[in-house]
Amino acid sequence: MNAESDERTKVAEQADPASATGESDRGERELGSRAPGFIKASKALHLSWQVGVFVVGLGVVIAGVLMLVLPGPGWLVIFGGMAIWATEFVWAQLVLRWTKRKVTEAAQRALDPKVRRRNIILTTVGLVIMAVLVGIYVWKFGLTMPWKISE
């Protein structure tokens, strides 16, 4: 029984303190290329890998930018392109870390009871104003569409 508890103590001492608090290494991965080892071994192969990743990521980001004005999930696709770039480029990894941190902060602010109450009040006031404007329009013109009004 003592031997078993000694082994547990040794394992606990060697364990990463972040793992005990439930934090994972996924959030703060090491920066740099995530290309397979055999690709990193050859400089020419690694360079061509990086060019390929850049071109694919660029295509996805351009598609996302087009989707900002066309129908589609533009920002989601842009961040997908950034994630593709982040598999190879440190600058993209840093941008994604910053973005993730800002989104988390915004989500925490949105969950704040004061902010939620303010947002609910502003939404209600906006809906009341819209209802009053629609009521005035219907009272004045009836249910006629704006492009058919002769006055």
Side-chain angles (χ1 to χ4, degrees), residues 62-106:
I62 288 173
V65 169
L66 290 175
M67 285 183 202
L68 291 175
V69 293
L70 300 173
W75 286 109
L76 185 65
V77 174
I78 289 172
F79 290 128
M82 290 296 294
I84 291 171
W85 279 339
T87 63
E88 216 35 55
F89 304 107
V90 174
W91 61 268
Q93 293 168 1
L94 295 174
V95 167
L96 281 180
R97 281 185 185 179
W98 178 83
T99 304
K100 184 177 179 181
R101 189 172 54 248
K102 291 298 179 185
V103 166
T104 304
E105 290 172 5

Short mmCIF file of all heavy atoms in Angstrom, two decimals, residues 62-106:
data_model
loop_
_atom_site.label_atom_id
_atom_site.label_comp_id
_atom_site.label_asym_id
_atom_site.label_seq_id
_atom_site.Cartn_x
_atom_site.Cartn_y
_atom_site.Cartn_z
N ILE A 62 -10.41 34.79 -49.42
CA ILE A 62 -11.03 35.58 -50.50
C ILE A 62 -12.49 35.18 -50.66
O ILE A 62 -13.36 36.05 -50.83
CB ILE A 62 -10.24 35.42 -51.82
CG1 ILE A 62 -8.91 36.16 -51.72
CG2 ILE A 62 -11.04 35.92 -53.01
CD1 ILE A 62 -7.98 35.94 -52.89
N ALA A 63 -12.78 33.89 -50.59
CA ALA A 63 -14.18 33.44 -50.67
C ALA A 63 -14.99 34.03 -49.50
O ALA A 63 -16.13 34.46 -49.69
CB ALA A 63 -14.25 31.92 -50.64
N GLY A 64 -14.39 34.09 -48.32
CA GLY A 64 -15.07 34.68 -47.17
C GLY A 64 -15.33 36.16 -47.35
O GLY A 64 -16.40 36.67 -47.00
N VAL A 65 -14.35 36.87 -47.91
CA VAL A 65 -14.53 38.31 -48.16
C VAL A 65 -15.64 38.53 -49.18
O VAL A 65 -16.47 39.43 -49.03
CB VAL A 65 -13.20 38.95 -48.62
CG1 VAL A 65 -13.41 40.36 -49.13
CG2 VAL A 65 -12.19 38.94 -47.48
N LEU A 66 -15.70 37.69 -50.20
CA LEU A 66 -16.79 37.80 -51.17
C LEU A 66 -18.13 37.51 -50.51
O LEU A 66 -19.15 38.11 -50.87
CB LEU A 66 -16.55 36.83 -52.34
CG LEU A 66 -15.40 37.19 -53.28
CD1 LEU A 66 -15.20 36.09 -54.31
CD2 LEU A 66 -15.66 38.52 -53.95
N MET A 67 -18.14 36.59 -49.56
CA MET A 67 -19.39 36.26 -48.88
C MET A 67 -19.85 37.36 -47.94
O MET A 67 -20.99 37.32 -47.45
CB MET A 67 -19.24 34.95 -48.10
CG MET A 67 -19.23 33.73 -48.95
SD MET A 67 -19.15 32.27 -47.93
CE MET A 67 -18.50 31.10 -49.09
N LEU A 68 -19.00 38.34 -47.65
CA LEU A 68 -19.45 39.47 -46.85
C LEU A 68 -20.48 40.30 -47.61
O LEU A 68 -21.38 40.88 -47.01
CB LEU A 68 -18.27 40.35 -46.43
CG LEU A 68 -17.30 39.74 -45.42
CD1 LEU A 68 -16.12 40.68 -45.19
CD2 LEU A 68 -18.00 39.42 -44.11
N VAL A 69 -20.34 40.35 -48.95
CA VAL A 69 -21.31 41.11 -49.75
C VAL A 69 -22.29 40.20 -50.46
O VAL A 69 -23.36 40.64 -50.87
CB VAL A 69 -20.59 42.02 -50.77
CG1 VAL A 69 -19.84 43.11 -50.05
CG2 VAL A 69 -19.66 41.23 -51.66
N LEU A 70 -21.93 38.94 -50.65
CA LEU A 70 -22.82 37.95 -51.26
C LEU A 70 -23.41 37.08 -50.15
O LEU A 70 -22.93 37.11 -49.02
CB LEU A 70 -22.03 37.08 -52.24
CG LEU A 70 -21.37 37.81 -53.41
CD1 LEU A 70 -20.49 36.86 -54.20
CD2 LEU A 70 -22.43 38.42 -54.31
N PRO A 71 -24.43 36.30 -50.47
CA PRO A 71 -24.99 35.42 -49.43
C PRO A 71 -23.97 34.37 -48.99
O PRO A 71 -23.27 33.79 -49.80
CB PRO A 71 -26.17 34.76 -50.13
CG PRO A 71 -26.47 35.59 -51.32
CD PRO A 71 -25.19 36.27 -51.70
N GLY A 72 -23.89 34.18 -47.70
CA GLY A 72 -23.00 33.16 -47.17
C GLY A 72 -22.41 33.59 -45.84
O GLY A 72 -22.47 34.77 -45.46
N PRO A 73 -21.83 32.64 -45.13
CA PRO A 73 -21.25 32.93 -43.81
C PRO A 73 -19.84 33.52 -43.93
O PRO A 73 -18.84 32.85 -43.67
CB PRO A 73 -21.23 31.56 -43.13
CG PRO A 73 -21.04 30.61 -44.28
CD PRO A 73 -21.78 31.22 -45.44
N GLY A 74 -19.75 34.78 -44.32
CA GLY A 74 -18.46 35.41 -44.64
C GLY A 74 -17.44 35.35 -43.54
O GLY A 74 -16.32 34.88 -43.75
N TRP A 75 -17.78 35.82 -42.33
CA TRP A 75 -16.80 35.85 -41.25
C TRP A 75 -16.36 34.44 -40.85
O TRP A 75 -15.18 34.22 -40.55
CB TRP A 75 -17.33 36.62 -40.05
CG TRP A 75 -17.34 38.08 -40.29
CD1 TRP A 75 -18.43 38.87 -40.47
CD2 TRP A 75 -16.20 38.94 -40.41
NE1 TRP A 75 -18.03 40.18 -40.69
CE2 TRP A 75 -16.67 40.24 -40.66
CE3 TRP A 75 -14.83 38.72 -40.34
CZ2 TRP A 75 -15.81 41.32 -40.83
CZ3 TRP A 75 -13.98 39.80 -40.51
CH2 TRP A 75 -14.47 41.08 -40.76
N LEU A 76 -17.28 33.51 -40.86
CA LEU A 76 -16.94 32.13 -40.52
C LEU A 76 -15.93 31.56 -41.50
O LEU A 76 -14.95 30.91 -41.10
CB LEU A 76 -18.21 31.28 -40.49
CG LEU A 76 -18.05 29.84 -40.03
CD1 LEU A 76 -17.62 29.81 -38.56
CD2 LEU A 76 -19.35 29.09 -40.22
N VAL A 77 -16.12 31.83 -42.77
CA VAL A 77 -15.20 31.34 -43.80
C VAL A 77 -13.85 32.05 -43.69
O VAL A 77 -12.78 31.43 -43.85
CB VAL A 77 -15.82 31.50 -45.20
CG1 VAL A 77 -14.84 31.13 -46.29
CG2 VAL A 77 -17.08 30.64 -45.31
N ILE A 78 -13.86 33.35 -43.38
CA ILE A 78 -12.60 34.08 -43.21
C ILE A 78 -11.79 33.48 -42.06
O ILE A 78 -10.59 33.25 -42.17
CB ILE A 78 -12.86 35.58 -42.99
CG1 ILE A 78 -13.35 36.23 -44.28
CG2 ILE A 78 -11.60 36.29 -42.48
CD1 ILE A 78 -13.82 37.65 -44.13
N PHE A 79 -12.47 33.21 -40.94
CA PHE A 79 -11.76 32.60 -39.81
C PHE A 79 -11.31 31.18 -40.13
O PHE A 79 -10.29 30.72 -39.62
CB PHE A 79 -12.61 32.65 -38.54
CG PHE A 79 -12.77 34.05 -38.00
CD1 PHE A 79 -14.03 34.55 -37.72
CD2 PHE A 79 -11.67 34.87 -37.81
CE1 PHE A 79 -14.18 35.84 -37.23
CE2 PHE A 79 -11.81 36.16 -37.34
CZ PHE A 79 -13.07 36.64 -37.05
N GLY A 80 -12.05 30.49 -40.98
CA GLY A 80 -11.60 29.17 -41.44
C GLY A 80 -10.31 29.28 -42.25
O GLY A 80 -9.39 28.47 -42.08
N GLY A 81 -10.22 30.28 -43.11
CA GLY A 81 -8.99 30.52 -43.86
C GLY A 81 -7.83 30.89 -42.95
O GLY A 81 -6.69 30.45 -43.15
N MET A 82 -8.13 31.68 -41.94
CA MET A 82 -7.08 32.02 -40.96
C MET A 82 -6.61 30.77 -40.21
O MET A 82 -5.43 30.64 -39.90
CB MET A 82 -7.60 33.06 -39.96
CG MET A 82 -7.80 34.43 -40.55
SD MET A 82 -6.27 35.18 -41.12
CE MET A 82 -5.42 35.38 -39.58
N ALA A 83 -7.54 29.87 -39.92
CA ALA A 83 -7.17 28.62 -39.24
C ALA A 83 -6.28 27.76 -40.15
O ALA A 83 -5.35 27.11 -39.67
CB ALA A 83 -8.42 27.85 -38.83
N ILE A 84 -6.56 27.78 -41.44
CA ILE A 84 -5.69 27.06 -42.38
C ILE A 84 -4.30 27.67 -42.35
O ILE A 84 -3.29 26.97 -42.28
CB ILE A 84 -6.29 27.09 -43.80
CG1 ILE A 84 -7.56 26.23 -43.83
CG2 ILE A 84 -5.28 26.59 -44.82
CD1 ILE A 84 -8.36 26.36 -45.12
N TRP A 85 -4.22 29.00 -42.41
CA TRP A 85 -2.92 29.66 -42.34
C TRP A 85 -2.22 29.38 -41.01
O TRP A 85 -1.00 29.28 -40.95
CB TRP A 85 -3.07 31.16 -42.52
CG TRP A 85 -3.21 31.62 -43.93
CD1 TRP A 85 -2.83 30.95 -45.05
CD2 TRP A 85 -3.76 32.85 -44.38
NE1 TRP A 85 -3.12 31.68 -46.16
CE2 TRP A 85 -3.68 32.85 -45.79
CE3 TRP A 85 -4.31 33.94 -43.73
CZ2 TRP A 85 -4.12 33.92 -46.56
CZ3 TRP A 85 -4.75 35.01 -44.50
CH2 TRP A 85 -4.66 34.99 -45.90
N ALA A 86 -3.00 29.28 -39.94
CA ALA A 86 -2.41 29.08 -38.61
C ALA A 86 -1.75 27.72 -38.47
O ALA A 86 -0.96 27.51 -37.54
CB ALA A 86 -3.47 29.26 -37.53
N THR A 87 -2.03 26.79 -39.37
CA THR A 87 -1.32 25.50 -39.29
C THR A 87 0.13 25.65 -39.69
O THR A 87 0.94 24.77 -39.40
CB THR A 87 -1.98 24.45 -40.21
OG1 THR A 87 -1.88 24.88 -41.56
CG2 THR A 87 -3.42 24.20 -39.82
N GLU A 88 0.46 26.76 -40.31
CA GLU A 88 1.83 26.93 -40.82
C GLU A 88 2.52 28.22 -40.42
O GLU A 88 3.73 28.26 -40.33
CB GLU A 88 1.75 26.85 -42.35
CG GLU A 88 2.86 26.20 -43.08
CD GLU A 88 3.52 25.02 -42.42
OE1 GLU A 88 2.86 24.05 -42.06
OE2 GLU A 88 4.75 25.10 -42.28
N PHE A 89 1.76 29.29 -40.17
CA PHE A 89 2.37 30.60 -39.97
C PHE A 89 2.10 31.12 -38.57
O PHE A 89 0.96 31.12 -38.10
CB PHE A 89 1.84 31.60 -41.01
CG PHE A 89 2.06 31.13 -42.43
CD1 PHE A 89 1.01 30.69 -43.20
CD2 PHE A 89 3.34 31.12 -42.96
CE1 PHE A 89 1.21 30.26 -44.49
CE2 PHE A 89 3.55 30.69 -44.25
CZ PHE A 89 2.49 30.25 -45.03
N VAL A 90 3.16 31.62 -37.92
CA VAL A 90 3.06 32.10 -36.55
C VAL A 90 2.16 33.33 -36.47
O VAL A 90 1.36 33.46 -35.54
CB VAL A 90 4.47 32.42 -35.99
CG1 VAL A 90 4.38 33.06 -34.62
CG2 VAL A 90 5.30 31.15 -35.93
N TRP A 91 2.24 34.24 -37.43
CA TRP A 91 1.43 35.45 -37.38
C TRP A 91 -0.06 35.11 -37.38
O TRP A 91 -0.84 35.76 -36.69
CB TRP A 91 1.77 36.40 -38.52
CG TRP A 91 1.56 35.84 -39.89
CD1 TRP A 91 2.47 35.20 -40.67
CD2 TRP A 91 0.34 35.87 -40.65
NE1 TRP A 91 1.91 34.81 -41.86
CE2 TRP A 91 0.60 35.21 -41.87
CE3 TRP A 91 -0.92 36.37 -40.41
CZ2 TRP A 91 -0.37 35.05 -42.85
CZ3 TRP A 91 -1.89 36.21 -41.39
CH2 TRP A 91 -1.60 35.55 -42.59
N ALA A 92 -0.45 34.09 -38.13
CA ALA A 92 -1.87 33.70 -38.15
C ALA A 92 -2.27 33.05 -36.83
O ALA A 92 -3.39 33.23 -36.36
CB ALA A 92 -2.13 32.74 -39.32
N GLN A 93 -1.35 32.31 -36.23
CA GLN A 93 -1.63 31.71 -34.92
C GLN A 93 -1.85 32.80 -33.88
O GLN A 93 -2.77 32.71 -33.06
CB GLN A 93 -0.48 30.79 -34.50
CG GLN A 93 -0.35 29.56 -35.37
CD GLN A 93 0.95 28.82 -35.14
OE1 GLN A 93 1.77 29.20 -34.31
NE2 GLN A 93 1.14 27.74 -35.89
N LEU A 94 -1.03 33.84 -33.94
CA LEU A 94 -1.19 34.95 -33.00
C LEU A 94 -2.50 35.71 -33.23
O LEU A 94 -3.18 36.09 -32.27
CB LEU A 94 0.01 35.90 -33.09
CG LEU A 94 1.35 35.29 -32.66
CD1 LEU A 94 2.49 36.26 -32.94
CD2 LEU A 94 1.32 34.91 -31.20
N VAL A 95 -2.88 35.91 -34.49
CA VAL A 95 -4.14 36.57 -34.80
C VAL A 95 -5.31 35.74 -34.29
O VAL A 95 -6.25 36.28 -33.69
CB VAL A 95 -4.28 36.83 -36.32
CG1 VAL A 95 -5.69 37.23 -36.69
CG2 VAL A 95 -3.29 37.88 -36.77
N LEU A 96 -5.26 34.43 -34.47
CA LEU A 96 -6.35 33.58 -33.99
C LEU A 96 -6.42 33.56 -32.47
O LEU A 96 -7.51 33.54 -31.90
CB LEU A 96 -6.20 32.16 -34.54
CG LEU A 96 -6.66 31.98 -35.98
CD1 LEU A 96 -6.47 30.53 -36.42
CD2 LEU A 96 -8.10 32.38 -36.17
N ARG A 97 -5.28 33.57 -31.80
CA ARG A 97 -5.28 33.63 -30.33
C ARG A 97 -5.92 34.93 -29.85
O ARG A 97 -6.72 34.95 -28.93
CB ARG A 97 -3.86 33.53 -29.77
CG ARG A 97 -3.32 32.14 -29.75
CD ARG A 97 -1.98 32.12 -29.07
NE ARG A 97 -1.41 30.78 -29.15
CZ ARG A 97 -0.23 30.46 -28.67
NH1 ARG A 97 0.50 31.38 -28.08
NH2 ARG A 97 0.21 29.23 -28.78
N TRP A 98 -5.53 36.04 -30.49
CA TRP A 98 -6.09 37.35 -30.12
C TRP A 98 -7.60 37.36 -30.36
O TRP A 98 -8.37 37.82 -29.52
CB TRP A 98 -5.40 38.44 -30.93
CG TRP A 98 -5.93 39.81 -30.65
CD1 TRP A 98 -5.59 40.64 -29.63
CD2 TRP A 98 -6.94 40.51 -31.41
NE1 TRP A 98 -6.30 41.80 -29.71
CE2 TRP A 98 -7.13 41.75 -30.79
CE3 TRP A 98 -7.66 40.19 -32.55
CZ2 TRP A 98 -8.03 42.68 -31.27
CZ3 TRP A 98 -8.56 41.12 -33.02
CH2 TRP A 98 -8.74 42.35 -32.38
N THR A 99 -8.03 36.83 -31.51
CA THR A 99 -9.45 36.79 -31.84
C THR A 99 -10.22 35.94 -30.85
O THR A 99 -11.29 36.33 -30.38
CB THR A 99 -9.64 36.25 -33.27
OG1 THR A 99 -8.89 37.05 -34.18
CG2 THR A 99 -11.10 36.24 -33.67
N LYS A 100 -9.66 34.79 -30.51
CA LYS A 100 -10.33 33.91 -29.56
C LYS A 100 -10.47 34.59 -28.20
O LYS A 100 -11.52 34.52 -27.56
CB LYS A 100 -9.54 32.61 -29.42
CG LYS A 100 -10.20 31.60 -28.53
CD LYS A 100 -9.42 30.30 -28.48
CE LYS A 100 -10.08 29.30 -27.57
NZ LYS A 100 -9.32 28.05 -27.48
N ARG A 101 -9.42 35.29 -27.78
CA ARG A 101 -9.47 36.00 -26.50
C ARG A 101 -10.53 37.10 -26.54
O ARG A 101 -11.31 37.26 -25.59
CB ARG A 101 -8.09 36.58 -26.20
CG ARG A 101 -7.95 37.15 -24.81
CD ARG A 101 -6.53 37.55 -24.45
NE ARG A 101 -5.92 38.46 -25.41
CZ ARG A 101 -4.91 38.15 -26.21
NH1 ARG A 101 -4.38 36.95 -26.18
NH2 ARG A 101 -4.41 39.04 -27.05
N LYS A 102 -10.61 37.86 -27.63
CA LYS A 102 -11.59 38.94 -27.74
C LYS A 102 -13.02 38.40 -27.79
O LYS A 102 -13.93 38.97 -27.20
CB LYS A 102 -11.32 39.81 -28.97
CG LYS A 102 -10.05 40.61 -28.86
CD LYS A 102 -10.14 41.57 -27.70
CE LYS A 102 -8.88 42.38 -27.55
NZ LYS A 102 -8.89 43.23 -26.38
N VAL A 103 -13.23 37.29 -28.49
CA VAL A 103 -14.56 36.70 -28.56
C VAL A 103 -14.98 36.19 -27.19
O VAL A 103 -16.14 36.36 -26.76
CB VAL A 103 -14.60 35.57 -29.61
CG1 VAL A 103 -15.84 34.72 -29.49
CG2 VAL A 103 -14.50 36.15 -31.01
N THR A 104 -14.05 35.60 -26.46
CA THR A 104 -14.36 35.11 -25.11
C THR A 104 -14.70 36.28 -24.19
O THR A 104 -15.66 36.20 -23.41
CB THR A 104 -13.17 34.33 -24.54
OG1 THR A 104 -12.84 33.26 -25.44
CG2 THR A 104 -13.48 33.75 -23.18
N GLU A 105 -13.94 37.37 -24.29
CA GLU A 105 -14.24 38.55 -23.47
C GLU A 105 -15.61 39.12 -23.82
O GLU A 105 -16.37 39.51 -22.94
CB GLU A 105 -13.16 39.62 -23.68
CG GLU A 105 -11.82 39.27 -23.08
CD GLU A 105 -10.73 40.25 -23.48
OE1 GLU A 105 -11.03 41.27 -24.15
OE2 GLU A 105 -9.57 40.00 -23.13
N ALA A 106 -15.93 39.17 -25.11
CA ALA A 106 -17.24 39.70 -25.53
C ALA A 106 -18.37 38.81 -25.03
O ALA A 106 -19.41 39.31 -24.61
CB ALA A 106 -17.29 39.83 -27.04
#
